[in-house]
Amino acid sequence: MTEFVTLSWSALVSHARDLLIPALIFAAIALVARGAAALRTARAAAPEVRTNLILFAFDVVAVTPLLAMALAASGALIQSAGLRLISAEQWAALPAWAIVFIALFAGDFIAYWRHRLEHTALLWPAHAIHHSDEAMTWTTGLRFHPFNRVTTALIDTTFLALLGLPLWALIANNLVRHYYGLFIHMDLPWTYGPLGRVFVSPAMHRWHHIRDADGAGANFATVFSVFDQAFGTHYVPGPCDVPLGVRDEIGRGAVGQLLWPFKVIWRYLYRHPGARAARARDPGANVTSVALGSGFDLRSPRKDGVER
Ligand SMILES: [Zn+2]
Ligand SMILES: [Zn+2]
């Protein structure tokens, strides 16, 4: 027990240290780009930032160690079962930059579809915690429910491990995705102009987080916007300045956020009246989606009048 507490504490300290330099860089970017408005945004976002940091601390202490063990086990299983599609020798024939690019591009392709899956009824209650931040800042990129972390880590890493990518390339991919993922959550009006056709900009990801308007159900990629363009979910009409968050009434604070998926399961088990009515009208209705009061169909992301 003492050992677990010591390990958790040292993990917390090292993760906090890893965030120090990015935090300073993000603060400098915000001040240069937005001046005094950045300070006002930071002050208004303080309660949500507190929730984000508490959820992140919980993740580091209670979720990451278990995930690391699960990933090591699944990696070992893939290797011992000989499931790697490309051998270590074949990868070694490529230059390092090409391996990193493939890891990033394939990683973003997998993450695009995994993210769309997280917007379907089954996984939405956990993913909604990431979306419930109404004052999005870079710290929103640290806000994930443990269930969401499990699907993300297992799906993404398993597929990349199946490709047989070397461990260092997986680590490089994780680092880029992590820090670039934090960056695109910043409150910046940047769309990148023509470069936005290649990379995901902060404005593009902000449109992914909007609450109730055009664009909900768009922009699922993290690094390369090409996937959203290829699969018809790209929506960037300009800088995003509309309300963010979710329609679900998730409890405030970190505890309310953590409990939300359990509340949804409880409601579903006790047969939400809306779900019963939907089934009475149409026996084949997606009652999970109705009972959850949210969630999107994988085959047809919400359009709400969005032109694609
Ligand atoms: Zn999302
Ligand atoms: Zn996000």
Side-chain angles (χ1 to χ4, degrees):
M1 185 63 192
T2 334
E3 198 183 341
F4 180 76
V5 172
T6 318
L7 275 175
S8 299
W9 177 250
S10 61
L12 202 57
V13 170
S14 85
H15 275 83
R17 212 172 21 212
D18 289 348
L19 285 180
L20 209 58
I21 292 173
L24 290 172
I25 294 172
F26 294 148
I29 294 173
L31 280 172
V32 170
R34 301 186 55 227
L39 294 175
R40 281 195 295 277
T41 303
R43 210 169 299 133
E48 295 278 27
V49 169
R50 197 177 313 124
T51 302
N52 297 346
L53 295 179
I54 293 171
L55 285 171
F56 179 63
F58 180 76
D59 185 285
V60 168
V61 169
V63 184
T64 305
L66 296 175
L67 266 181
M69 282 194 281
L71 291 179
S74 78
L77 196 72
I78 286 169
Q79 193 160 12
S80 65
L83 290 174
R84 297 162 130 216
L85 291 174
I86 301 168
S87 71
E89 295 73 37
Q90 285 168 314
W91 281 117
L94 291 174
W97 65 263
I99 299 175
V100 171
F101 177 76
I102 292 170
L104 268 177
F105 200 72
D108 212 39
F109 171 74
I110 291 154
Y112 171 88
W113 285 104
R114 183 259 306 151
H115 192 179
R116 281 189 66 170
L117 212 57
E118 287 166 349
H119 278 254
T120 57
L122 187 64
L123 298 183
W124 172 251
H127 187 57
I129 275 55
H130 175 63
H131 279 263
S132 65
D133 191 339
E134 293 178 1
M136 198 166 109
T137 57
W138 67 268
T139 64
T140 314
L142 303 170
R143 175 182 180 131
F144 290 100
H145 193 276
F147 292 169
N148 196 158
R149 290 271 289 126
V150 170
T151 53
T152 301
L154 284 185
I155 294 174
D156 292 23
T157 314
T158 305
F159 275 94
L160 288 176
L162 282 173
L163 282 180
L165 278 155
L167 186 63
W168 64 265
L170 296 184
I171 294 171
N173 171 53
N174 274 346
L175 284 174
V176 172
R177 292 186 64 77
H178 177 64
Y179 289 112
Y180 193 69
L182 295 180
F183 170 71
I184 58 170
H185 287 90
M186 282 186 73
D187 188 2
L188 294 171
W190 299 349
T191 60
Y192 292 172
L195 262 186
R197 287 279 164 193
V198 181
F199 296 108
V200 174
S201 64
M204 177 175 167
H205 194 65
R206 193 154 277 258
W207 283 108
H208 176 68
H209 277 261
I210 64 171
R211 188 163 51 212
D212 257 335
D214 289 356
N219 305 348
F220 294 92
T222 299
V223 180
F224 299 103
S225 64
V226 291
F227 298 116
D228 281 293
Q229 293 168 74
F231 302 118
T233 52
H234 187 252
Y235 182 70
V236 191
C240 176
D241 192 20
V242 299
L244 309 178
V246 292
R247 284 163 295 157
D248 309 288
E249 287 178 21
I250 301 176
R252 295 264 152 211
V255 175
Q257 303 285 319
L258 285 172
L259 290 179
W260 173 248
F262 298 100
K263 278 191 201 164
V264 171
I265 294 167
W266 178 266
R267 265 190 221 170
Y268 181 62
L269 289 178
Y270 283 84
R271 307 302 291 271
H272 190 274
R276 259 204 309 266
R279 190 172 268 160
R281 280 196 305 274
D282 171 12
N286 182 355
V287 288
T288 324
S289 168
V290 177
L292 302 185
S294 187
F296 308 112
D297 186 335
L298 181 64
R299 288 157 301 172
S300 56
R302 262 181 73 210
K303 290 197 173 70
D304 293 0
V306 177
E307 285 172 26
R308 293 171 201 280

